[in-house]
Amino acid sequence: MWLFNSSVGRKFVMSITGACLALFLLFHATMNLVAIISEDGYNMICEFLGANWYALVGTLGLAFLAVVHILYAFVLSIINYRARGKERYAVSSRANNVEWSSMNMLVLGFIILAGIVLHLCNFWAKMQLVEILGQEPANGVELIKYTFAQWYFFVPYLLWFVALWYHLTHGIWSAMQTLGWSNNIWLPRIKCISNIIATIIVLMFLVVLVYYFVAGNCCAATCAAI
């Protein structure tokens, strides 16, 4: 099957799954902003996305997309690594027209994968998973307040979002190019659009992270002073 055996097919799968995951990130980042605007509104969203059948179907679909995207990323990286052969030892500096993120997508992928595992442990396991097991899920806003206020969570999340920005800036325009939405005229524009989309997504995540880190530590400092 060409989706597995051909280079074009593998890149097509990477593009489609990546685009779907980018749309989810946009939704997730927007949802997180609600926590700052309305705590009750955020908790209502968490309840809506709990152990309901549609939420579970969506979670399984999202997990499938993520697994396929990760597996294909490894396969493409290995194929590209082998294809370079001795050239990978001869090249000591990157070409001027090759982006840093393009040369380090696998490394960025490892960081993002580690961030996903951390995020699942911190939030999904304490909310949707426990509800599936018949237990009371954690309060969404309170969980965010506690988690992001801890420096040992703040730092990994910050690194995760930086890696995510680099990954998205390259991944979005690369997906568009693979799907044929690119030429010599539109490629610079698509790269600009990709940077804007990636920046909006990551900024929304960062706003929530920094807001609750600062709020949590200011509150702790005030209580200590009293």
Side-chain angles (χ1 to χ4, degrees), residues 153-219:
F153 286 135
F154 175 83
V155 173
Y157 271 98
L158 185 62
L159 294 175
W160 183 28
F161 294 148
V162 171
L164 185 62
W165 183 84
Y166 277 108
H167 192 82
L168 288 174
T169 53
H170 173 76
I172 294 175
W173 77 257
S174 180
M176 292 181 178
Q177 187 178 44
T178 299
L179 296 174
W181 300 341
S182 176
N183 52 44
N184 292 334
I185 297 176
W186 273 96
L187 183 58
R189 300 175 184 176
I190 289 175
K191 287 186 176 182
C192 180
I193 293 171
S194 300
N195 289 340
I196 293 173
I197 295 174
T199 301
I200 290 174
I201 292 174
V202 173
L203 270 181
M204 286 195 290
F205 280 125
L206 284 174
V207 165
V208 177
L209 176 67
V210 173
Y211 175 85
Y212 282 111
F213 178 76
V214 172
N217 285 277
C218 286
C219 180

Side-chain angles (χ1 to χ4, degrees), residues 27-221:
F27 162 76
H28 195 346
T30 305
M31 185 186 87
N32 282 8
L33 281 181
V34 177
I36 298 177
I37 301 170
S38 171
E39 295 185 0
D40 290 336
Y42 180 79
N43 283 331
M44 287 177 63
I45 296 175
C46 291
E47 183 178 353
F48 178 75
L49 297 176
N52 304 303
W53 70 267
Y54 46 83
L56 295 178
V57 170
T59 300
L60 291 175
L62 183 64
F64 173 77
L65 291 172
V67 170
V68 171
H69 191 76
I70 292 169
L71 290 178
Y72 270 71
F74 278 116
V75 171
L76 285 172
S77 297
I78 293 173
I79 292 174
N80 292 336
Y81 182 81
R82 290 178 176 176
R84 287 197 300 269
K86 294 182 180 180
E87 292 182 4
R88 62 178 177 266
Y89 302 106
V91 178
S92 58
S93 60
R94 68 182 179 92
N96 292 330
N97 61 339
V98 179
E99 297 177 348
W100 179 87
S101 56
S102 176
M103 297 180 62
N104 295 276
M105 286 297 277
L106 188 60
V107 175
L108 293 172
F110 276 119
I111 297 174
I112 293 170
L113 181 59
I116 291 173
V117 173
L118 175 66
H119 195 60
L120 290 175
C121 293
N122 279 339
F123 291 94
W124 179 77
K126 297 176 182 178
M127 298 178 72
Q128 190 180 64
L129 179 59
V130 296
E131 190 173 353
I132 294 172
L133 298 176
Q135 303 174 22
E136 185 70 22
N139 181 285
V141 172
E142 295 303 321
L143 189 57
I144 287 181
K145 288 180 178 179
Y146 170 78
T147 303
F148 289 167
Q150 315 305 316
W151 71 266
Y152 48 83
F153 286 135
F154 175 83
V155 173
Y157 271 98
L158 185 62
L159 294 175
W160 183 28
F161 294 148
V162 171
L164 185 62
W165 183 84
Y166 277 108
H167 192 82
L168 288 174
T169 53
H170 173 76
I172 294 175
W173 77 257
S174 180
M176 292 181 178
Q177 187 178 44
T178 299
L179 296 174
W181 300 341
S182 176
N183 52 44
N184 292 334
I185 297 176
W186 273 96
L187 183 58
R189 300 175 184 176
I190 289 175
K191 287 186 176 182
C192 180
I193 293 171
S194 300
N195 289 340
I196 293 173
I197 295 174
T199 301
I200 290 174
I201 292 174
V202 173
L203 270 181
M204 286 195 290
F205 280 125
L206 284 174
V207 165
V208 177
L209 176 67
V210 173
Y211 175 85
Y212 282 111
F213 178 76
V214 172
N217 285 277
C218 286
C219 180

